[in-house]
Structures are given as structure tokens and as C-alpha cells.
Amino acid sequence: MQLDVIPQLKHTNSDNFFLLAGPCAIEGEEMALRIAEQVVEITEKLEIPYVFKGSFKKANRSRIDSFTGIGDEKALKILRKVSETFKVPTVTDIHTEQDAAMAAEYVDILQIPAFLVRQTDLVVAAAKTGKTVNLKKGQFMSPESMKHAVTKVTEMGNEQAIITDRGTMFGYQDMIVDFRGIPTMKQYAPVVLDVTHSLQQPNQSSGVTGGRPALIGTMARAGIAAGVDGLFMETHFDPANAKSDGANMLDLSLLEKLLTDLVAIRKTINNL
């Protein structure tokens, strides 16, 4: 896996962690461009390699009346506009084999959701597009088992695989990150820590996932100290009114201070 293969990814020689960040779901063009503009400005200043994240649709919802998207093609075109406007790569998650080819026309990285990472046909379809594939570690999987998910990508002749840890189920309604898994998974591919989803509190009786956003800084700092290659964060300028995963997203106004602190920690780690 080589970061500089990802189109338009800047600052790959900065010796910094890379960042996948943006809203949970694409709610509209104005909100996507607004978030992207602010994150691009911050990451340019801090020389952080940045990929804009946004789901073109949300297939994994607790309730049938939950927001799932504004339309596949409409959302994918917004992702393309973000990329063209700010000259940054984009990532979106896919849920079916048909999604892989469609999304690959618009984005640079295809993300396999944690619940679907053992779906061989889906992973293979993503790998065959030639795009970088971000494999979310299943909440039910060991770090060692992610080797096989990576192999499904590389066996298709695609060496561009990333592993993202998003925590492991602890009981019914909590997630725990086992940092012992970071060095294990780094043997197979670059490892990203999904900071915000690791703080989810799923399976609430209301059918709406909860979260602990106050711990985002703690989790992110721990990830950098543990040696992750990148961080994944969902962020929004109004999390309370976001249409998906607002309970565990980072308020956009807090992002610059957090990233500044994380860059300082990374420099310290690099000098040890």
C-alpha cells in the first residue's frame, strides 16, 4: 500500500498521520462543501494528508424510518464536486457488489463497512475496481482475522488496502478499542483508527445509536501514541441536527485544536 498512489493526496512526505474525515452522510451539496472547505484549510496548515469522507447512502440503519440518503447519483456527484473543488481525494462506503463499480466512477477510495467486511463478493468487487479499499474491521473480528480480508484484496492484484479499526463489541451497547491489535494489523496493511465510531453506543432501545463524543480527543491521542498510520473522524458543524450518527460526531469547531495537538504528539512519537 502506497499513500502517494491515491489521487490528489497531498503532504504524503510530511511524516504525519493521514486523515479521513467528513460528515457521516451526504445531506446536501452546501453542507458537504462547507465541511470540506474547513477541513481542507486546517489540514493544509498542518500538512496532514487528507481524504474527504461522506457516505452516499446509509444501508445499515436500526430503524426503517432512519435517514438513508438523498439519492445515490446525487450524493456521488456531490462527492465528485468536493474532489474537483478542493483537489482532494474522497472515500465512501459501499454495501453491494453493484455499488462498487458505480461508486468507483466518482470516488478514490471504496470503504467496506465493518458489518460487511467478511462478505467475499463485496470485497472482491471493490478490489477489482483498482481503487484503494478501506476495510473496516468487524466489531466481531479479531485483529488477526483481518489478514484474510486484506488477502481478498491483494489476490485480485490490488495492493491498495487499508485496515480501519472501529472498536469491538463489549456487551450489547458499547464499543472498546483493543490497542494491542494495532501492531498486529500493521503487519498486513496501514492501520487507521476510527475515532468517532469507536465511541458509539449501539443497540439503544430507541433505535437511534448513542455515543460519547466527549472522549474523541482521548481516543485520538491514544491512537497516535499507539502508532496508527491514520485517523478516521466524522465531523459536522451541527452534530445535534445531523441526519446520521450525530451522537458520536466531532463538532467541526473543535477539529483544528484537536488536530494541532495530535500533530504535536505525532512529532514526539516520531522522535522517540
Side-chain angles (χ1 to χ4, degrees), residues 46-248:
L46 297 174
E47 296 188 340
I48 298 172
Y50 172 57
V51 180
F52 177 85
K53 182 270 167 186
S55 297
F56 76 94
K57 68 178 175 183
K58 303 300 296 183
N60 173 30
R61 302 287 86 188
S62 296
R63 292 175 13 180
I64 196 167
D65 60 347
S66 296
F67 174 79
T68 58
I70 59 174
D72 294 357
E73 188 175 11
K74 183 177 181 180
L76 286 167
K77 285 182 176 179
I78 291 171
L79 284 163
R80 176 186 281 169
K81 183 164 186 179
V82 167
S83 181
E84 293 174 346
T85 301
F86 299 106
K87 310 302 180 190
V88 293
T90 53
V91 57
T92 198
D93 35 344
I94 61 173
H95 304 87
T96 68
E97 297 165 61
Q98 293 73 27
D99 284 350
M102 175 177 64
E105 295 294 318
Y106 295 90
V107 302
D108 304 291
I109 302 175
L110 299 178
Q111 181 168 288
I112 308 298
F115 283 124
L116 300 178
V117 75
R118 286 194 57 178
Q119 297 298 106
T120 299
D121 289 346
L122 177 61
V123 175
V124 167
K128 284 182 174 179
T129 67
K131 299 288 184 176
T132 298
V133 181
N134 183 25
L135 300 158
K136 287 283 195 82
K137 185 184 82 65
Q139 301 94 323
F140 46 87
M141 292 173 66
S142 69
E144 291 80 4
S145 64
M146 286 304 294
K147 177 180 180 180
H148 306 298
V150 173
T151 300
K152 291 175 184 179
V153 177
T154 58
E155 284 292 308
M156 296 302 106
N158 185 342
E159 298 296 325
Q160 291 296 109
I162 301 169
I163 299 172
T164 294
D165 192 346
R166 53 133 317 143
T168 301
M169 287 299 297
F170 187 79
Y172 290 112
Q173 295 175 324
D174 211 355
M175 309 292 299
I176 294 294
V177 174
D178 183 354
F179 288 97
R180 298 173 300 177
I182 301 300
T184 297
M185 292 186 290
K186 286 183 70 169
Q187 298 175 69
Y188 319 136
V191 174
V192 172
L193 176 61
D194 182 341
V195 176
T196 48
H197 286 104
S198 294
L199 294 167
Q200 277 187 337
Q201 294 179 311
N203 302 320
Q204 300 296 312
S205 59
S206 65
V208 178
T209 297
R212 303 183 69 186
L215 293 176
I216 288 172
T218 300
M219 186 67 69
R221 289 191 291 270
I224 296 298
V228 295
D229 300 290
L231 293 175
F232 179 109
M233 298 184 202
E234 289 185 340
T235 184
H236 196 290
F237 49 81
D238 187 10
N241 291 300
K243 294 184 178 181
S244 179
D245 275 5
N248 54 270

